[in-house]
Amino acid sequence: MKSRNTALENSRAVVVGGGIAGLLTARVLADHVAHVVVVEQDRLPEGPEPRRGVPQSTHVHGLGVRGLRTIEGLLPGFTDELTGAGAPLLDLAWDLAMRNPHGWAAVFPSGLGFVCAGRPLVEWTVRRMVRSAPNITFREGTRVTGLVGDATAVTGVRVETRGHPDDAPAPLPADLVVDATGRGSAVDHWLKELGCTPPPQEVIDPHLGYASRLYRIPEDHRAPWRSCYIQGGPPGPLRSGVLAPLEGGRWIVTLSGSGADRPTTREEDFLPYARGLADPLIAEAIAHAEPLTGISGSHATSNRRRLIRPGARQPGNLLLTGDALCCFNPVYGQGMTAAALGAVLLGECLSGPDGLPGLSDRYHRRLSALTGTFWDMAATADNLLPGTDGTPPTRSQRLASRYMSRVQAAGTRDPRVHLVFLEVLHSLRPPTSLFAPRTALRTLLPRGAGRSVPQARPAPTAPGNTSDRLR
């Protein structure tokens, strides 16, 4: 463990929520405080199984390259644990057939490795590794019903045991409380009970919906790709689809669309909807594959953030992290990366000499800036979809969207542009990298049309290995 701030060495933290954000936050807090309690309303499964508190777990999840590397830094061996459980390790530009509205993206060994794993496996692996910390304990089947304290500081949380709502266990004492309960956070209600005004919210809702299903990968499947993403957009249909390999020799397929063109969960609709994508590749792949599950759906795709202003009247030792502070349309695969970066940021804020005083302002100011980049990317894309509710797109967003379209068009014929695009998409570079002179020149100069069919993978110049592809 890292050396602790002496002002925190006898402190106790309560993390509300045992998902990815809560687990990684607990892992970081364990380096700084004496005792961490994770309070989770679900009874946590003993293996990689879906649970009620993560309704998104049956859909495709994207753990971005930076997110994977960040979690690996917090939990050394995490990547090997996933691949050891059978999760495939893929190269972003080599193994993923990516089609945007302009054609299929260039194919080349990028060195950008990412792991295709189901959300239950990711969360179970993180939870198992976090549990090994001796100063972290879990309170399962327990719901937080409110905060103890006042408008300046909290002293604990009130809890209710699942199945025994009439029992009133003693509040859990805490010097620091972190809300990591996700989209369904009740923090606004908790703050009102303390006499605080909840922070204002900004919401951008594209009214997107998606449907997912698991398939067994056919033994005779042969293709020049291992995963596929077909992005919708003008001039083609707006609906999109993802096919990704998972542990256990399975495919997960997620189809998405907005407004009246959202996919349903009816058996008879799934394959026809896939055939309506801009390319039939996914539909052809699953047409004769064996379904392993029914079809699950979701419409919880709005972008929503709480705007905590410096000096706001709220407890100075209450923090919001993960989706409780800022959540994004899940189709962009930013949530787990943002959660991991938020956990690392908390560690940095706690490592200074100030300790708990002023922590809320320091942390929320820096976390809001960090998640602002993710927000701008998601909000700009969603704001331009027909039927989106929320803040109208600005002129700069419209211009950025047009330029991004040119970037994607260039990426179908220019590996260098596509690599920069992927690095920005996976938070390895800032979005301003797309406007660097060399990239802008290659983006704006016409160089012919993109490919209308997936490109076969060229022979690599040298054999790669896991460490190379995770550089």
Side-chain angles (χ1 to χ4, degrees), residues 13-15 17 19-33 35-38 130 133 135-138 178 180 343 346:
V14 169
V15 178
I20 298 295
L23 292 169
L24 295 177
T25 297
R27 167 62 190 86
V28 168
L29 285 171
D31 283 346
H32 297 275
V33 304
H35 190 200
V36 183
V37 181
V38 179
V130 168
N135 59 334
I136 297 177
T137 59
F138 285 73
V178 182
L346 177 57

Side-chain angles (χ1 to χ4, degrees), residues 359-379:
L359 177 61
S360 177
D361 278 352
R362 294 197 309 275
Y363 180 65
H364 290 133
R365 181 179 65 251
R366 293 181 61 183
L367 183 58
S368 295
L370 187 156
T371 57
T373 299
F374 295 100
W375 177 269
D376 290 342
M377 294 174 66

Side-chain angles (χ1 to χ4, degrees), residues 263-324:
T264 76
T265 56
R266 293 192 294 266
E267 174 80 26
E268 63 271 22
D269 292 343
F270 197 79
L271 185 56
Y273 192 94
R275 289 189 174 123
L277 298 173
D279 190 279
L281 187 147
I282 291 177
E284 292 171 351
I286 64 175
H288 303 291
E290 176 191 354
L292 298 176
T293 64
I295 301 165
S296 58
S298 175
H299 293 165
T301 58
S302 63
N303 305 277
R304 182 184 304 269
R305 62 177 172 178
R306 290 182 167 90
L307 304 171
I308 301 179
R309 309 299 187 190
R313 188 170 182 266
Q314 71 172 56
N317 58 343
L318 171 65
L319 308 182
L320 279 64
T321 194
D323 284 359

Side-chain angles (χ1 to χ4, degrees), residues 91 93-94 107-112 419 458-462 471:
D91 182 288
W94 181 258
V107 176
F108 56 96
S110 69
L112 301 177
L419 178 60
T461 55
R471 64 177 173 82

Side-chain angles (χ1 to χ4, degrees), residues 3-14 29-36 135 173-176 355-356:
S3 59
R4 295 175 182 160
N5 184 322
T6 55
L8 301 172
E9 62 183 7
N10 295 317
S11 299
R12 176 187 177 100
V14 169
L29 285 171
D31 283 346
H32 297 275
V33 304
H35 190 200
V36 183
N135 59 334
D175 301 290
L176 175 66
L356 293 179

